[in-house]
Amino acid sequence: TAAADAARRICAAGRELELEATLRPASGFQVIVLGEERWLEHKVSGLLNRRTEMAILAEPRRRIQCTMNLSRGSTLHLRGRFEVVRFLNAGSGSDESGWMVFGDVRWEPVPWLGVSTRMSLFQTDSYDAGIYSTESDVGGVSGSTLLNGTGRRWYCLVVCHPFPSLRLSVRYLSSVHVRGTRLVSEESRLSLQADFRVDPLEWD
């Protein structure tokens, strides 16, 4: 049987097509649709029957993303997103796919208090799907989390500014991975952070 004992991939060429459309059907309501197609060509070399063989492998990747934003004044913001990707796994040669759907709610009842929560569901065949969840943390910045497998993920973040020089933030995260009807892993995390700002004294 033919088997490749070693392989080396070099990105030789490619092309990319991206289309984005923004719709505003009503006041405070926005729909953003993004379509993307990428073709990467890899030069693959390996040992086959004691001979070095060379081939060009084209790796297609298609992604569709739809985001809906709804705002009600300055206190309530809703966002939902659906993303699906389909690609050829260059390593295994198999056709794979992945998808994610999530909903965000951000509520600011008063200027010194903000509450945001997210619920997401996802399913990917492998890490190569490249589906990321961009989330806010207690530090006031955003980070990307790579989603893999099948599961759900949700978090709630509360940020309070009782004084101009004090910021309190609490975040609870829950993540579950399943395989069929069997629970594979479960993670829960609680983060708390207090930030103080001390202005230096000004001397005359």
Side-chain angles (χ1 to χ4, degrees):
T1 60
D5 299 325
R8 179 169 54 91
R9 296 181 179 84
I10 302 175
C11 183
R15 65 179 187 268
E16 179 178 343
L17 176 64
E18 184 175 300
L19 177 63
E20 181 176 341
T22 302
L23 306 175
R24 295 180 176 88
S27 176
F29 183 49
Q30 182 186 61
V31 180
I32 303 173
V33 181
L34 175 66
E36 178 185 273
E37 181 181 76
R38 294 181 180 179
W39 283 80
L40 297 178
E41 294 180 355
H42 299 273
K43 183 167 64 174
V44 181
S45 63
L47 295 178
L48 184 65
N49 296 330
R50 297 183 179 181
R51 295 179 56 186
T52 301
E53 301 289 341
M54 189 78 65
I56 299 296
L57 177 64
E59 177 188 345
R61 180 178 294 267
R62 299 177 179 91
R63 185 186 305 270
I64 297 176
Q65 185 183 96
C66 180
T67 305
M68 292 169 287
N69 297 302
L70 177 62
S71 299
R72 285 294 176 258
S74 60
T75 60
L76 183 62
H77 305 273
L78 307 175
R79 180 173 61 169
R81 174 177 294 174
F82 175 73
E83 181 175 349
V84 59
V85 60
R86 187 172 182 180
F87 62 99
L88 175 66
N89 191 317
S92 62
S94 59
D95 189 18
E96 299 184 9
S97 62
W99 60 266
M100 172 188 67
V101 59
F102 72 74
D104 282 342
V105 178
R106 190 170 78 251
W107 182 44
E108 298 177 356
V110 289
W112 50 269
L113 178 64
V115 180
S116 59
T117 182
R118 166 178 292 185
M119 176 65 181
S120 59
L121 303 173
F122 58 90
Q123 190 277 321
T124 61
D125 292 333
S126 69
Y127 282 108
D128 295 323
I131 292 184
Y132 291 85
S133 175
T134 303
E135 305 172 356
S136 300
D137 62 13
V138 294
V141 296
S142 298
S144 296
T145 299
L146 179 61
L147 301 178
N148 181 55
T150 301
R152 61 114 175 117
R153 183 180 178 92
W154 75 271
Y155 74 89
C156 181
L157 174 65
V158 179
V159 179
C160 179
H161 296 268
F163 306 103
S165 59
L166 176 62
R167 178 183 184 271
L168 303 175
S169 52
V170 181
R171 183 177 187 258
Y172 177 77
L173 166 70
S174 175
S175 180
V176 172
H177 287 78
V178 298
R179 182 175 292 115
T181 59
R182 184 170 61 88
L183 178 64
V184 177
S185 64
E186 184 174 5
E187 176 191 7
S188 297
R189 182 181 303 172
L190 179 64
S191 304
L192 300 93
Q193 181 169 306
D195 297 288
F196 299 92
R197 186 183 65 191
V198 179
D199 295 329
L201 296 176
E202 297 182 1
W203 297 92
D204 295 331

